[in-house]
Amino acid sequence: MTDYRAPLEEIRFALETAGGLSEWTSIPAFEEAGEDLVSAILEEAGKLAGEVIAPTNVVGDQVGAKLTDKGVVSPDAFKPMHQAYVEGGWSTLSAKEELGGQGLPSTLSTAVDEMVTSANMAYSLLPMLTSGAIEAIDAHGTDEQRHMYLPKMITGEWSGAMNLTEPSAGSDVGALRAKAEKQADGTYLISGQKIFITWGDHDLAENVIHLVLARLPDAPAGTKGISMFLVPKVHVNADGSLGEQNDVKCVSIEHKLGIHASPTCVMSFGDSGKCVGYIVGEENRGMANMFTMMNHARISVGLEGVAIAERAYQHAASYALERVQSAAIGAKTRESVTIINHPDVRRMLLTMRATAEAARAIIYRNVWALDRAHALDDTEARAAAQGEADLLTPISKAYSTDIGVEAASLGIQVYGGMGFVEETGVAQYYRDARIAPIYEGTNGIQALDLVGRKLNADGGAHWRALIAEMRGFAAGEGGDYAADLTPAVDALDDAANTLFENGFERIVDTAAAATPYLRLFGTVLGAYMLSRQATEAERRLAAGEGNPAFLKAKVSTAAFYREQILPSAVALLPSIKAGARHITDLAEDDFLRH
Amino acid sequence: MTDYRAPLEEIRFALETAGGLSEWTSIPAFEEAGEDLVSAILEEAGKLAGEVIAPTNVVGDQVGAKLTDKGVVSPDAFKPMHQAYVEGGWSTLSAKEELGGQGLPSTLSTAVDEMVTSANMAYSLLPMLTSGAIEAIDAHGTDEQRHMYLPKMITGEWSGAMNLTEPSAGSDVGALRAKAEKQADGTYLISGQKIFITWGDHDLAENVIHLVLARLPDAPAGTKGISMFLVPKVHVNADGSLGEQNDVKCVSIEHKLGIHASPTCVMSFGDSGKCVGYIVGEENRGMANMFTMMNHARISVGLEGVAIAERAYQHAASYALERVQSAAIGAKTRESVTIINHPDVRRMLLTMRATAEAARAIIYRNVWALDRAHALDDTEARAAAQGEADLLTPISKAYSTDIGVEAASLGIQVYGGMGFVEETGVAQYYRDARIAPIYEGTNGIQALDLVGRKLNADGGAHWRALIAEMRGFAAGEGGDYAADLTPAVDALDDAANTLFENGFERIVDTAAAATPYLRLFGTVLGAYMLSRQATEAERRLAAGEGNPAFLKAKVSTAAFYREQILPSAVALLPSIKAGARHITDLAEDDFLRH
């Protein structure tokens, strides 16, 4: 009952309606991503996630990662699981073929990643961080670096870790103090401590390739003085074999609320003055390098929200179908029924399901835009796709992780008292989910990104295009839903224009409105994406295609979302337009109690 | 920085504006509750909570309650703390004078309980459950029982525990199976297992007085066949001294998400066939007896939401005043500032603060109505007060515990990555808070109670009276806030009338709308209560009375609530009126994934 089952029907449908699946083979880079291959990959990934990875989730939580004399040790159950993941080639799906990857769309690997993340979120961070490091090295490393490190990282034999944060440099990366000094041989001596380094050390891979942000002695202040270095845990010889240990080690790991199996390390570089690193890209360009992979990393964290909401939903739905308690409302007998018969339980389950499906559609669309931005031939089409991907990224990250926490909380509520007891496993989702709104840029930072950079990019072209698309849908094929969608899009349009026109003079008002604006945007977009799915489901139903039960459920879930979830978000408009006045008027000291 | 400081200024103001403080001495039963005594009690309670109890919160979480051969053992730090609580007479405040209590208003003891709960929620359940047992025995026990058990329970030397739940009888108490058989001497032999028994066993008191719901052999099915029994852990001799152990024991305790120091016991009664109990009240009247104390117990759980929101708020606010990160939005320099300068951080803090203050005002009002229902002379006034107390109870319970979880989650978000690390202590609030929406009737049950029993009580007189009161305020002294309040009250009125008119024919629609209706009710009532506080704050400011900084903050917090929190709740109206159609149309099997 508590096992995770990959929602293949839903994932497939989301790929078709939001992830551009039918267009994949029309793009030369993805011509191999045809029907048969895609189906086989999704099917096998579902098995891996459900049968191999999902059973490790609870033991990962209970045993956790441990720091020993020999470094960080993972739970025993993780070793065969990771081996199966590596040997199955799961980490190679969307990597470049020249480096040993399969060159498939990231949208497809995102669907696979979702299943892996639902199955074991703590574990999923290992391949996720490795992907990020691969992307950065691929984009900015030398050919020698690329060929020395990437093939083994792509197979998963080696992992990657991102070393940004320091105690005084969290959201403000520019405040970091780690040092790099150039040596005569062109390498750099790295020194400093980094905190919150996910999978910074572990025993699942032979080597950990650290990307470390540090400052050169003469670097300018702030983000313009940051450089990126590649620091292998174990040095790699010219022939590819492993050499000596580098002077880098994990000195402690955090005791956290959740994702216990994901070691969150304090990493120390150069304690003995012998930590050798190699610059990636140019000096003082480290921050720009990070931006290259920021979209992907942020979307991946957003995906955690979807993945945890999905698993929490499944777990709660199974329980609601089994647990017998109280008579049905309005029933003539006092016979007890399964709690799925109680409308309020259904409301909770449908909220979890509808928000997860909305966020999934947003994320798949976002990654598909990224895929197009990389793979299309036409420059203008690429730029439009990149603009859309950039716009959607903070929404993918923040909206999805917020609903992830909310869904996990509802999952406990469906379970009642048993949900508060750790042995049922639903409390773990609530604990695990809570990190996703925080890392990879807090959701507050995402909201500021949305109302700042993204609102103003290309004169507002990208949000205007999206709003126009939604209006076109409501005026056309989505006409049945126009009564719900049109006022929602109007509100979003009004909010976007208000903040856009605020400009620099009212920047504090804009910043104060950022979070409700993101919530409004995400919810309206979710309603639109689900409504598009509903029109497609209705078309298939009318044409006698597909599974009618699934398609009817899509129509129904979209209707639930528009009716029960959308209005409260639309009502954020006056709060957004009100500006900062009631947010800034309390004096600092008045926040303290007496 | 992490210590709790009783918000005495705010609590005092809430007692004055929502808890009827100025009227206390005008009621004969409370004539001693004058200015000096009340001030002294609040002041001393603040010291106890902040200095003695609050420091035990983290150790309680880390060490937790443990089951040993000798029963359940509490953390060492709890013993002197509990002793201080008992010796200070803190549990006697609102208990009857004839039984050793002080006869003060429950509204006053609620304010004290809030501080104790903020200081250590897990511990606070011990006096809270004891209070519930006292109330039941006092209302339904014989004089002999009252004099044998209550004095020592009131002082806190003995504790009380409520034994209702069984594996198949949670929300549906009527399904319970524990047995009671009458003996020749008039006592009963009790047998059966109970689960989720809070503080069912422990080493802080000499005796635990269990109230156990069980069935007689010939009892009717359902709730009409339940009787209540008093089952002491240790038998009490006629002279009041302790005698033999009774045949009752804790056989295991749950490993829970939070409130680790509160033992959640599986209790076994009559394993050796020798568990002797004494009936409380009449046979088959156990459920009705439970209802006597249900208001108090539910309000007390609601208070946990306020208490945890308050502590999470204080903890997050202290951090925001210290943590330096990033330049201020729109500032000319790039100098980093404390994060309280960032509007989005303020938004989070103000949301926590405003919802906590709204819920506090609702709860104090609710308890004050209960006090009046018990202590007023006039029958009609008593009935009106009881009707108001009954109406407000599900709102106090569910609205407050929902915002408690939301506030605890925001508290982590303010802390960022450090919030996810257990050592900062803010994750504990998130874990502890999560039980409150579940126990003492899930929030779904509360919502059903609100749209069922409470909506229909006395033909709807009580909610109509409250709506009329809010309209009167908006048309009179609260005229400045009418633009916000009137549409909100209109929406509540519309929703209440719609559900009222649904009647039995549309009972499923009503049940489906219960949760958003409760949220709408709670939020509109919260906006009204805060607005009333704001008018009083403005009056005092104009008159030069009180602390201007505090009073201005009250005005500002109320404005924030009306502007930033109220509109989304008001927008629940269409969802409420939509009924069940999109909640009931999904087939049961379609909740499962394929």
Side-chain angles (χ1 to χ4, degrees):
Chain A
M1 185 191 86
T2 67
D3 284 337
Y4 166 72
R5 184 175 198 167
L8 291 176
E9 212 169 12
E10 155 67 12
I11 284 179
R12 169 81 193 216
F13 189 78
L15 286 175
E16 287 166 357
T17 53
L21 194 153
S22 65
E23 298 167 49
W24 290 354
T25 54
S26 69
I27 296 180
F30 303 140
E31 62 187 0
E32 288 180 26
E35 179 56 39
D36 291 352
L37 183 63
V38 168
S39 293
I41 287 173
L42 293 175
E43 195 77 32
E44 287 304 311
K47 281 186 199 156
L48 176 84
E51 295 167 17
V52 179
I53 303 177
T56 65
N57 197 45
V58 168
V59 71
D61 184 57
Q62 289 172 349
V63 175
K66 297 220 188 315
L67 181 59
T68 70
D69 290 350
K70 295 175 180 173
V72 177
V73 173
S74 292
D76 290 340
F78 278 40
K79 280 135 201 165
M81 180 238 313
H82 182 62
Q83 204 177 345
Y85 182 85
V86 169
E87 286 174 1
W90 292 104
S91 60
T92 69
L93 290 178
S94 56
K96 287 185 180 166
E97 290 176 271
E98 58 167 298
L99 295 164
Q102 301 181 56
L104 293 164
S106 284
T107 317
L108 178 60
S109 60
T110 295
V112 172
D113 293 345
E114 182 199 314
M115 301 184 222
V116 173
T117 307
S118 283
N120 188 330
M121 176 172 155
Y123 169 67
S124 76
L125 290 163
L126 177 62
M128 175 190 145
L129 270 294
T130 303
S131 278
I134 291 169
E135 201 174 342
I137 296 168
D138 187 33
H140 305 288
T142 62
D143 273 351
E144 193 192 339
Q145 288 169 342
R146 293 172 69 247
H147 287 101
M148 180 172 269
Y149 299 103
L150 295 185
K152 293 223 168 189
M153 292 175 77
I154 287 170
T155 60
E157 289 164 276
W158 297 350
S159 76
M162 309 300 306
N163 296 257
L164 285 68
T165 303
E166 298 175 13
S168 293
S171 296
D172 185 6
V173 180
L176 68 83
R177 294 173 189 175
K179 284 186 201 154
E181 278 189 86
K182 195 165 186 173
Q183 304 288 99
D185 65 355
T187 65
Y188 293 77
L189 274 186
I190 310 295
S191 60
Q193 273 209 353
K194 295 283 180 176
I195 62 168
F196 294 155
I197 308 310
T198 300
W199 286 94
D201 191 44
H202 61 94
D203 57 348
L204 296 182
E206 293 174 309
N207 204 355
V208 181
I209 310 304
H210 293 277
L211 291 181
V212 182
L213 295 188
R215 290 186 179 286
L216 295 167
D218 54 352
T223 56
K224 288 175 185 162
I226 294 174
S227 305
M228 180 186 279
F229 300 90
L230 188 158
V231 180
K233 175 181 172 182
V234 187
H235 284 296
V236 180
N237 299 320
D239 65 356
S241 63
L242 293 179
E244 284 184 11
Q245 291 282 323
N246 202 350
D247 181 15
V248 44
K249 67 166 185 285
C250 170
V251 293
S252 67
I253 61 175
E254 307 293 348
H255 171 48
K256 306 189 300 296
L257 173 63
I259 54 168
H260 294 161
S262 167
T264 301
C265 302
V266 175
M267 297 300 303
S268 194
F269 297 88
D271 277 0
S272 311
K274 293 180 186 168
C275 180
V276 176
Y278 311 94
I279 195 156
V280 178
E282 294 170 39
E283 292 189 347
N284 297 332
R285 295 283 298 161
M287 202 62 196
N289 295 359
M290 290 300 304
F291 274 107
T292 314
M293 56 179 202
M294 211 164 262
N295 275 334
H296 244 138
R298 290 183 166 181
I299 298 169
S300 293
V301 172
L303 192 66
E304 293 173 5
V306 173
I308 209 100
E310 174 67 35
R311 187 160 186 175
Y313 164 74
Q314 291 190 16
H315 208 140
S318 301
Y319 185 70
L321 283 158
E322 284 188 359
R323 168 74 174 168
V324 172
Q325 193 77 168
S326 300
I329 299 278
K332 293 209 173 74
T333 75
R334 296 301 306 155
E335 198 187 337
S336 294
V337 296
T338 52
I339 62 172
I340 195 122
N341 286 282
H342 302 318
D344 196 61
V345 171
R346 284 180 164 246
R347 168 183 291 283
M348 291 190 274
L349 291 172
L350 286 168
T351 300
M352 298 166 80
R353 177 182 175 123
T355 52
E357 293 186 3
R360 178 184 288 113
I362 291 170
I363 284 181
Y364 286 11
R365 177 176 176 143
N366 194 349
V367 188
W368 173 230
L370 262 190
D371 268 334
R372 285 178 292 134
H374 293 139
L376 288 177
D377 279 335
D378 182 67
T379 316
E380 213 166 296
R382 269 215 313 275
Q386 185 69 51
E388 180 178 314
D390 290 345
L391 172 66
L392 294 182
T393 297
I395 301 168
S396 291
K397 199 280 180 177
Y399 178 72
S400 304
T401 56
D402 280 343
I403 67 96
V405 172
E406 292 160 18
S409 184
L410 284 172
I412 293 181
Q413 193 69 19
V414 170
Y415 253 87
M418 289 306 296
F420 196 68
V421 173
E422 288 281 3
E423 91 187 77
T424 54
V426 296
Q428 187 188 344
Y429 311 138
Y430 177 74
R431 290 186 286 98
D432 287 353
R434 196 60 197 77
I435 187 58
I438 296 172
Y439 59 16
E440 205 54 48
T442 66
N443 286 2
I445 297 283
Q446 303 301 323
L448 289 175
D449 179 45
L450 183 66
V451 298
R453 217 174 279 121
K454 305 308 165 63
L455 186 77
N456 294 299
D458 298 318
H462 306 294
W463 57 264
R464 288 187 216 277
L466 190 53
I467 284 174
E469 179 189 317
M470 293 194 256
R471 290 201 186 283
F473 174 78
E477 63 193 305
D480 286 353
Y481 315 133
D484 293 331
L485 291 181
T486 302
V489 177
D490 286 347
L492 176 61
D493 203 353
D494 190 350
N497 276 296
T498 302
L499 299 185
F500 187 78
E501 284 157 18
N502 274 354
F504 192 77
E505 283 120 83
R506 291 191 58 197
I507 194 170
V508 174
D509 287 323
T510 299
T515 287
Y517 174 68
L518 189 148
R519 183 77 180 198
L520 170 65
F521 207 144
T523 310
V524 174
L525 183 58
Y528 164 62
M529 297 301 289
L530 289 184
S531 297
R532 269 187 24 166
Q533 294 190 338
T535 57
E536 175 61 13
E538 285 184 332
R539 190 196 65 69
R540 292 187 193 184
L541 281 165
E545 299 168 13
N547 171 9
F550 170 76
L551 295 168
K552 281 181 199 163
K554 287 302 300 186
V555 175
S556 177
T557 304
F560 174 85
Y561 191 98
R562 286 192 305 271
E563 182 183 274
Q564 297 291 328
I565 294 170
L566 183 58
S568 280
V570 172
L572 291 169
L573 179 64
S575 310
I576 293 165
K577 293 178 80 168
R581 56 182 180 173
H582 293 313
I583 291 170
T584 49
D585 64 357
L586 209 60
E588 284 187 31
D589 281 350
D590 293 337
F591 280 88
L592 295 177
R593 294 298 200 183
H594 299 282
Chain B
M1 184 190 83
T2 67
D3 284 335
Y4 165 73
R5 183 176 199 167
L8 291 177
E9 211 169 13
E10 155 66 13
I11 284 178
R12 170 78 193 218
F13 189 77
L15 287 175
E16 287 166 356
T17 54
L21 195 153
S22 64
E23 298 166 50
W24 292 353
T25 52
S26 69
I27 296 180
F30 303 141
E31 62 186 2
E32 288 180 23
E35 180 56 40
D36 291 351
L37 182 64
V38 168
S39 294
I41 286 173
L42 293 175
E43 194 77 32
E44 286 304 310
K47 281 187 199 157
L48 176 84
E51 294 167 18
V52 179
I53 303 179
T56 65
N57 197 44
V58 168
V59 72
D61 184 58
Q62 289 171 350
V63 174
K66 297 220 186 322
L67 180 59
T68 70
D69 290 350
K70 295 178 180 169
V72 177
V73 172
S74 292
D76 290 340
F78 278 39
K79 280 135 201 166
M81 179 239 310
H82 181 62
Q83 203 177 347
Y85 182 84
V86 169
E87 286 175 2
W90 292 105
S91 59
T92 68
L93 289 179
S94 56
K96 288 185 181 166
E97 290 174 273
E98 56 167 296
L99 296 164
Q102 300 182 55
L104 294 164
S106 284
T107 316
L108 177 61
S109 60
T110 295
V112 172
D113 292 346
E114 183 200 312
M115 302 184 221
V116 172
T117 308
S118 282
N120 188 331
M121 175 171 155
Y123 168 67
S124 76
L125 290 162
L126 178 62
M128 176 190 144
L129 270 293
T130 304
S131 278
I134 291 168
E135 201 175 342
I137 297 168
D138 187 32
H140 306 288
T142 61
D143 273 352
E144 194 192 336
Q145 286 169 344
R146 294 171 70 245
H147 287 103
M148 181 172 268
Y149 299 103
L150 295 185
K152 290 222 169 186
M153 293 174 76
I154 287 170
T155 59
E157 288 164 276
W158 297 350
S159 77
M162 308 301 305
N163 295 256
L164 284 68
T165 303
E166 298 175 13
S168 293
S171 295
D172 185 5
V173 180
L176 67 84
R177 294 174 188 172
K179 282 184 202 153
E181 279 189 86
K182 194 163 183 174
Q183 304 289 98
D185 66 354
T187 66
Y188 293 76
L189 275 186
I190 310 294
S191 61
Q193 272 208 355
K194 296 285 180 176
I195 63 169
F196 293 154
I197 309 309
T198 300
W199 287 94
D201 191 44
H202 62 94
D203 59 347
L204 295 183
E206 293 174 310
N207 203 357
V208 180
I209 309 305
H210 293 276
L211 290 182
V212 182
L213 295 188
R215 289 185 180 288
L216 296 167
D218 54 351
T223 54
K224 288 174 185 159
I226 293 174
S227 305
M228 180 186 278
F229 300 90
L230 188 158
V231 179
K233 174 182 174 182
V234 186
H235 285 295
V236 180
N237 299 320
D239 66 355
S241 64
L242 292 178
E244 283 184 11
Q245 291 280 321
N246 202 349
D247 181 15
V248 44
K249 67 167 184 284
C250 170
V251 294
S252 68
I253 61 174
E254 307 293 347
H255 172 49
K256 306 188 301 295
L257 173 62
I259 53 165
H260 293 159
S262 167
T264 301
C265 302
V266 176
M267 296 300 303
S268 195
F269 296 88
D271 276 1
S272 311
K274 292 180 186 167
C275 179
V276 176
Y278 310 94
I279 195 155
V280 178
E282 293 171 38
E283 291 189 348
N284 298 331
R285 295 284 298 163
M287 200 63 196
N289 294 359
M290 289 300 304
F291 273 106
T292 313
M293 56 179 204
M294 211 164 262
N295 275 333
H296 244 137
R298 291 183 164 179
I299 299 169
S300 293
V301 171
L303 192 66
E304 292 173 6
V306 173
I308 209 100
E310 174 67 34
R311 187 160 185 175
Y313 164 74
Q314 290 190 16
H315 208 141
S318 301
Y319 185 70
L321 282 159
E322 283 188 359
R323 169 74 175 169
V324 172
Q325 192 76 170
S326 301
I329 299 278
K332 295 210 172 75
T333 75
R334 297 301 307 154
E335 197 186 337
S336 294
V337 296
T338 51
I339 62 172
I340 196 123
N341 287 281
H342 303 318
D344 196 62
V345 171
R346 284 180 163 247
R347 167 184 292 284
M348 293 190 274
L349 292 173
L350 286 168
T351 300
M352 298 166 79
R353 177 181 174 123
T355 52
E357 293 186 2
R360 177 182 289 114
I362 291 170
I363 285 180
Y364 286 11
R365 177 176 176 145
N366 195 349
V367 188
W368 173 229
L370 263 190
D371 268 334
R372 283 178 294 135
H374 292 139
L376 287 178
D377 279 333
D378 182 66
T379 315
E380 212 168 299
R382 270 214 314 271
Q386 185 69 50
E388 180 179 313
D390 290 345
L391 171 68
L392 295 182
T393 297
I395 301 167
S396 290
K397 199 277 181 180
Y399 178 72
S400 304
T401 56
D402 280 343
I403 68 95
V405 172
E406 292 160 19
S409 184
L410 285 172
I412 292 181
Q413 193 68 20
V414 170
Y415 253 86
M418 288 309 295
F420 197 67
V421 172
E422 288 281 3
E423 91 187 76
T424 52
V426 294
Q428 186 188 346
Y429 311 138
Y430 177 73
R431 292 186 286 97
D432 287 352
R434 194 62 195 76
I435 188 58
I438 296 171
Y439 59 17
E440 205 55 46
T442 66
N443 285 3
I445 297 282
Q446 302 302 323
L448 290 175
D449 179 46
L450 183 65
V451 297
R453 216 173 280 122
K454 306 306 167 63
L455 186 76
N456 294 298
D458 298 317
H462 306 295
W463 57 263
R464 287 187 216 279
L466 189 51
I467 285 174
E469 179 189 318
M470 293 193 256
R471 289 202 186 285
F473 174 77
E477 64 193 303
D480 286 353
Y481 314 133
D484 293 332
L485 290 181
T486 302
V489 176
D490 286 346
L492 176 61
D493 202 354
D494 190 349
N497 276 294
T498 302
L499 300 184
F500 187 78
E501 283 156 20
N502 275 353
F504 192 76
E505 284 119 83
R506 293 191 58 196
I507 193 171
V508 175
D509 287 323
T510 299
T515 287
Y517 173 68
L518 189 148
R519 184 75 179 201
L520 170 65
F521 207 146
T523 311
V524 174
L525 184 57
Y528 163 63
M529 296 301 290
L530 290 184
S531 297
R532 270 188 21 169
Q533 293 189 340
T535 55
E536 174 62 13
E538 286 183 331
R539 189 196 65 70
R540 292 187 193 183
L541 281 165
E545 301 168 13
N547 171 8
F550 170 76
L551 295 169
K552 281 181 197 161
K554 286 303 299 185
V555 174
S556 175
T557 304
F560 175 86
Y561 191 97
R562 284 191 307 271
E563 182 184 272
Q564 298 291 327
I565 293 171
L566 183 59
S568 279
V570 172
L572 292 169
L573 179 63
S575 310
I576 292 165
K577 294 179 83 170
R581 57 183 180 174
H582 293 313
I583 290 169
T584 51
D585 63 357
L586 209 60
E588 284 186 30
D589 281 351
D590 293 337
F591 279 88
L592 295 177
R593 293 296 201 186
H594 298 283

